[in-house]
Amino acid sequence: MAVCVAVIAKENYPLYIRSTPTENELKFHYMVHTSLDVVDEKISAMGKALVDQRELYLGLLYPTEDYKVYGYVTNSKVKFVMVVDSSNTALRDNEIRSMFRKLHNSYTDVMCNPFYNPGDRIQSRAFDNMVTSMMIQVC
Amino acid sequence: MEGLTLSDAEQKYYSDLFSYCDIESTKKVVVNGRVLELFRAAQLPNDVVLQIMELCGATRLGYFGRSQFYIALKLVAVAQSGFPLRVESINTVKDLPLPRFVASKNEQESRHAASYSSDSENQGSYSGVIPPPPGRGQVKKGSVTHDTVQPRTSADAQEPASPVVSPQQSPPTSPHTWRKHSRHPSGGNSERPLAGSGPFWSPFGEAQSGSAGGDAVWSGHSPPPPQENWVSFADTPPTSTLLTMHPASVQDQTTVRTVASATTAIEIRRQSSSYDDPWKITDEQRQYYVNQFKTIQPDLNGFIPGSAAKEFFTKSKLPILELSHIWELSDFDKDGALTLDEFCAAFHLVVARKNGYDLPEKLPESLMPKLIDLEDSADVGDQPGEVGYSGSPAEAPPSKSPSMPSLNQTWPELNQSSEDTAIVHPVPIRMTPSKIHMQEMELKRTGSDHTNPTSPLLVKPSDLSEENKINSSVKFASGNTVADGYSSSDSFTSDPEQIGSNVTRQRSHSGTSPDTAAPPPPPPRPQPSHSRSSSLDMNRTFAVTTGQQQTGVVAHPPAVPPRPQPSQAPGPTVHRPVDADGLMTHTSTSPQQIPEQPNFADFSQFEVFAASNVNEEQDDEAEKHPEVLPVEKASDPASSLRVAKTDSKTEEKTAATAPANVSKGTTPLAPPPKPVRRRLKSEDELRPEVDEHTQKTGVLAAVLASQPSIPRSVGKDKKAIQASIRRNKETNTVLARLNSELQQQLKDVLEERISLEVQLEQLRPFSHL
């Protein structure tokens, strides 16, 4: 289950971060923050590779004993980071991909809203609902 | 206006009424909605109210200032007394009784509903004693509140000087626009307003000067049970809808009411046609919205860009967060621009919010852009209970115009995008471009049914098909370079199914489709394959014949085109889950495969299927799926990217089946996949990936098999179509997922192959030795 979902802006500040309340949120915030380094590493490694969907999805960034952190970066260097519980029977890769795709779509919808200023925190209810569904459903 | 002399009682009464209407506490301007309700409660004919408004100058000013309000009240009193409405009469008529307002004092009335019959007797006794609400008769308030209800209810039959009911007036029943509408027969909005206006009651009760007893009574009523409100509404003019909703209770009360009030209510009812839905837009409101739309965008079929809309709605002074939410609700197709329908919905929501209504979580059905069936157009208002319609079909970009030239213009874009295999990010895709345009066009043309923009659609199916084709093509420009026919068919499929679908879901689906389709843009297909052109023609034919019913093609074009992409075949081949062995051959033959697509694009089958029932098709397809699945094994019917052609075929097939399932009696563009399947058979041999694919195909088959179960009923076409759209979207998602998995596998296989080749190379020198 996605215990934590975060949307990081290009400048590496969070646009949206949400964790399941049961856990210590600070821990997840820290994990997401540290995962940014891994994301940057992977982005630079890609180099001039064609940006196709597969490369948008970074895959498993790093596993810990309890959690796995997955990353996804858009063409505009907006990063999505998802922390899933390791105890969950390993989610298939394509499921993670589809989750990121949904995230990306919802993010696009938020962007399309003229009342949203890029760089603001994401306060869209639709986005929240989508993330909630993701956090509940996957578990 | 002329000087207005008011007696003390009048002064007080008017100021209280002003405070009542001045919910924004501006002390200067009253909310038009409240004022209109007040006037409605005065039980005057509409034209009289209009006249009053004009006379007092509110029409001129656009709002009710204090002086206007007072003049208006005086005129109401004049009218109620039976004097002709003249500007000078406000001062000349002596001893004018206070204006009567048969406000639906929801709480009190509901409270006393039971005792109405008994109270009716008291009406006569109290009629002459009705004290003006503010100040006087405080002692009686406690007891009078009960009785005043009756006098109020039968106020029109009573002598003047009924107690002021304004404070007890029913809360704004309809979302009034900021501007003044001559009349808001939106009595139907009573449902919502009840909740929203509850809080207004208590403040007003407190505002009542001196009516301590009354205040206690009134404030006690602040949160009136909605049902009671409805019941009480039946009594008041704006409660025409309530009458329909609570006929029994209404009748109980109406029996007590005088005939006059009943007739007034009937009048109002007639005016507020189809007010079952508090979110329904009245004709006047709609006309107003349309006019506002024109100020921003003269072309009613055009779009208002997001920035313009933002400026416009920012003027409403609602908090940005709420405006953002309103936008999310009203931008049905998530294209960043507002069509006329969307704009009206957004405007309506803004008005509602300004009047105190809470924003809904989901767009109310009556506000959803009706893009589908014309036959359902008449039922729009009567279907409040319908579940959310599936999907906001993506609209064509704002730039598109429903004309063939736009189609041509999109092709270059498509070609570019097709060549750019790197396009992967979800591209906002309009799913239902043409429908909206068609609707608006028709709406403009016929100008008949405001609430049912779809009704005009029926008029000119040929035009619609044209537009659909064009729009659909544009629609796919972003991610799916599809043949003309496909695009049009897609638009057809998506258009009818827009309404009500979960917008979010739609979005995600559209997002996934670009994901799958983006890499392989469609354009190449139509060009190399002549059969395609023929199929295109057939598509057009089908589009024309079936009008908006051609929902069957929904996902075809996007799915198919990418595969045959010759430019992509070599490039992204790496990413394609092609067999290691067949990789090279496939890549080399990919261009060849394009011409082979004719099998794929065998639209003769379409005709066959078109004739058959959709259900049959669905069943057939569902049956064929299991057949094909075992055959194809590796070929994932959903998303196998095997080879351009294969993949496209499979996808098209699945897409075809999905849409075919959805469309009722729509042209079955799905059939081609069946013959394609056979061709794929040979290719299946090349595909090593069996296990996963079988699993996936099994899943896919299950998914697809579940689709055919859509029963076809004329009355539920829209619903079914929306449901099928949903399913198609889900299928698309599944297919996309499968696709990505297969791609991954392909990569792995390629790596293995490379390693094997390297080993072979290393071993070769030894063999020579």
Side-chain angles (χ1 to χ4, degrees), chain B residues 116-376:
Chain B
Y116 265 132
S117 51
S118 59
D119 292 335
S120 58
E121 309 162 8
N122 301 330
Q123 292 173 5
S125 61
Y126 281 101
S127 60
V129 190
I130 300 171
R136 276 201 277 155
Q138 300 173 16
V139 178
K140 295 185 205 169
K141 272 306 174 164
S143 59
V144 166
T145 50
H146 172 91
D147 300 317
T148 51
V149 171
Q150 277 74 30
R152 247 178 296 122
T153 60
S154 57
D156 48 357
Q158 295 287 342
E159 296 85 5
S162 64
V164 77
V165 179
S166 56
Q168 305 161 352
Q169 208 168 0
S170 59
T173 55
S174 66
H176 301 290
T177 58
W178 316 318
R179 319 283 197 277
K180 184 171 61 116
H181 283 268
S182 60
R183 188 144 186 121
H184 274 286
S186 48
N189 297 328
S190 51
E191 301 169 342
R192 294 278 180 138
L194 299 180
S197 55
F200 294 134
W201 290 61
S202 44
F204 184 85
E206 295 161 10
Q208 289 294 323
S209 59
S211 54
D215 290 346
V217 173
W218 288 331
S219 50
H221 293 291
S222 290
Q227 299 205 328
E228 291 181 341
N229 287 338
W230 288 342
V231 167
S232 59
F233 271 131
D235 176 44
T236 61
T239 56
S240 55
T241 54
L242 290 178
L243 280 168
T244 62
M245 301 171 85
H246 299 268
S249 56
V250 165
Q251 285 166 7
D252 293 340
Q253 294 186 359
T254 48
T255 52
V256 180
R257 317 272 190 267
T258 61
V259 177
S261 63
T263 53
T264 313
I266 292 172
E267 282 179 13
I268 307 286
R269 206 178 320 153
R270 253 186 270 122
Q271 291 165 357
S272 61
S273 59
S274 70
Y275 265 127
D276 304 317
D277 184 359
W279 294 105
K280 180 88 63 154
I281 303 179
T282 70
D283 289 350
E284 296 162 2
Q285 288 173 330
R286 177 136 188 128
Q287 195 51 48
Y288 181 74
Y289 300 155
V290 170
N291 292 337
Q292 289 295 313
F293 183 93
K294 281 189 194 148
T295 63
I296 306 176
Q297 162 69 278
D299 176 19
L300 285 184
N301 288 328
F303 297 79
I304 290 186
S307 50
K310 176 178 178 176
E311 290 172 24
F312 182 80
F313 286 114
T314 309
K315 285 190 260 176
S316 71
K317 299 197 190 55
L318 283 180
I320 293 288
L321 191 57
E322 296 190 9
L323 287 173
S324 174
H325 187 64
I326 287 177
W327 176 275
E328 273 178 11
L329 291 176
S330 59
D331 188 7
F332 206 59
D333 47 17
K334 301 287 182 226
D335 57 357
L338 296 180
T339 66
L340 181 62
D341 283 340
E342 293 173 339
F343 177 82
C344 290
F347 208 133
H348 202 66
L349 287 170
V350 169
V351 166
R353 188 78 190 110
K354 283 201 81 78
N355 281 279
Y357 297 128
D358 289 331
L359 293 178
E361 282 300 320
K362 289 180 115 177
L363 192 65
E365 281 121 15
S366 59
L367 293 180
M368 286 192 188
K370 309 295 185 294
L371 299 177
I372 311 179
D373 304 336
L374 308 178
E375 55 201 41
D376 289 349

Side-chain angles (χ1 to χ4, degrees), chain A residues 51 53-54 75 101 109 124, chain B residues 328 422 424-425 507 515 747:
Chain A
V51 183
Q53 206 255 343
R54 186 187 63 83
N75 290 331
R101 205 172 301 128
D109 290 344
S124 151
Chain B
E328 273 178 11
V424 174
H425 56 275
R507 203 64 196 88
D515 289 345
K747 281 194 93 170

Side-chain angles (χ1 to χ4, degrees), chain B residues 478-499:
Chain B
S478 55
N480 305 316
T481 55
V482 183
D484 304 343
Y486 283 121
S487 57
S488 60
S489 56
D490 283 350
S491 63
F492 277 120
T493 12
S494 53
D495 291 342
E497 301 170 356
Q498 304 166 338
I499 297 179

